[in-house]
Amino acid sequence: MRLGDLLSKAPAREEAQVEGFLNGRGLSWGQHKTIDAGQVFLTFLCKTCGVVRTFASGKKLSCLGVGDRVVSIDACLKCAACGAIVEAWFLVVSRDELHGQAPIVRLERYVDNRRDRASRIGVGAGGFDDLLERAQLAYEENLGAGAMVYLRKIFEAITKQVADIAGIPTTGNNGGRKPFRNLLQEVDEQHHIIPTAFSSDGYKLFSELSEIVHGDSTEEMALQKYRPCRSLVIGIIRNVASDQEMKRAIKDLGWNVTGLNMPISGEAAS
């Protein structure tokens, strides 16, 4: 594997053994070098083309020494069809010497500047995709609590929207807002929106989201719980989108699954 192949898996923070890319010479702090480490290929939704496209870097990458085992890689990627440009930056860390013949390296951090010309590929859920991207970007910036806020908003909103479509009351006997635990249970009993893998932990994970949002957890813990919570939320979106009764109801109401209403601000349920 070449370094470019590893970087093409971004934002996944993977580790792998790659071909040497520094020609046996270390790179001092602040020292710059153009390296031949393979092209980087990342997939985005190109806003000019209106479809998913592969964006490719040039054959050479820009490498900057940051530490004994750390380098910064800059790449400029172009849409294969229209030439729209996306800038990408990678922080790469090595287990041992970076200038070895086959160093074991990992992608420590990835940032892209899409200049509003491209967007990350979502799950085909309209406004939910936007919030999922915001959650992911917050996570990549190590803002665990911020990432969880977006996931919690999606969880709440899609549960309430399914309840509205299914005719399940969202208010309690006294006219106030129904506790989310009760609403989620009723919705899941009728439409099984919680993925099978989380069937016994749906509300538990929501509780963990809430604890983090309300400041009852550390950033480190929020970052650790982000991936399973994101998987749960994406699973719910996909379950709702594939539910035949939901599809019929959404069609009858004149809605579009890819355009479900998703408020970006507003008070979250307790």
Side-chain angles (χ1 to χ4, degrees), residues 27-256:
L27 201 60
S28 302
W29 177 86
Q31 184 179 359
H32 174 268
K33 184 176 184 177
T34 300
I35 61 173
D36 181 3
Q39 288 179 273
V40 177
F41 299 93
L42 296 175
T43 305
F44 297 100
L45 174 62
C46 178
K47 294 188 176 181
T48 300
C49 298
V51 295
V52 174
R53 297 287 194 195
T54 296
F55 284 64
S57 73
K59 294 183 179 179
K60 299 292 181 72
L61 302 175
S62 177
C63 183
L64 179 70
V66 177
D68 292 339
R69 298 183 297 109
V70 185
V71 290
S72 170
I73 307 290
D74 290 317
C76 184
L77 298 89
K78 286 187 177 182
C79 171
C82 72
I85 294 175
V86 167
E87 298 160 354
W89 171 74
F90 311 86
L91 192 66
V92 177
V93 179
S94 174
R95 281 193 192 179
D96 300 302
E97 294 179 337
L98 265 169
H99 59 275
Q101 291 186 349
I104 297 175
V105 300
R106 75 174 185 276
L107 178 59
E108 181 73 13
R109 194 173 179 196
Y110 161 71
V111 176
D112 57 45
N113 180 9
R114 285 164 275 132
R115 298 176 175 273
D116 200 33
R117 295 173 182 170
S119 61
R120 299 273 184 93
I121 300 172
V123 296
F128 292 115
D129 273 350
D130 178 63
L131 287 190
L132 282 171
E133 181 173 350
R134 293 181 186 212
Q136 181 65 26
L137 292 175
Y139 171 72
E140 290 170 14
E141 292 294 329
N142 292 320
L143 301 175
M148 292 300 211
V149 168
Y150 289 119
L151 294 183
R152 187 173 184 263
K153 283 179 177 288
I154 297 171
F155 197 157
E156 293 169 342
I158 197 166
T159 301
K160 290 178 180 177
Q161 287 179 20
V162 172
D164 288 340
I165 294 172
I168 298 172
T170 58
T171 57
N173 295 330
N174 59 0
R177 185 172 52 189
K178 183 179 293 184
F180 186 77
R181 177 194 290 273
N182 298 347
L183 182 63
L184 177 61
Q185 182 177 351
E186 290 179 45
V187 168
D188 192 49
E189 284 176 353
Q190 289 193 31
H191 292 283
H192 308 292
I193 67 171
I194 300 297
T196 303
F198 297 97
S199 59
S200 63
D201 296 320
Y203 189 79
K204 180 180 179 182
L205 281 174
F206 179 82
S207 297
E208 293 181 347
L209 283 170
S210 299
E211 288 176 9
I212 292 166
V213 169
H214 293 310
D216 297 329
S217 183
T218 64
E219 280 291 305
E220 182 180 1
M221 184 61 67
L223 292 170
Q224 289 177 6
K225 292 182 177 180
Y226 171 77
R227 288 185 182 278
C229 287
R230 179 183 172 87
S231 295
L232 169 65
V233 169
I234 290 176
I236 291 172
I237 293 172
R238 287 175 172 162
N239 280 356
V240 172
S242 64
D243 185 294
Q244 294 303 314
E245 184 175 346
M246 286 291 102
K247 283 184 177 180
R248 287 193 296 271
I250 289 169
K251 183 178 179 180
D252 291 342
L253 290 170
W255 292 10
N256 187 317

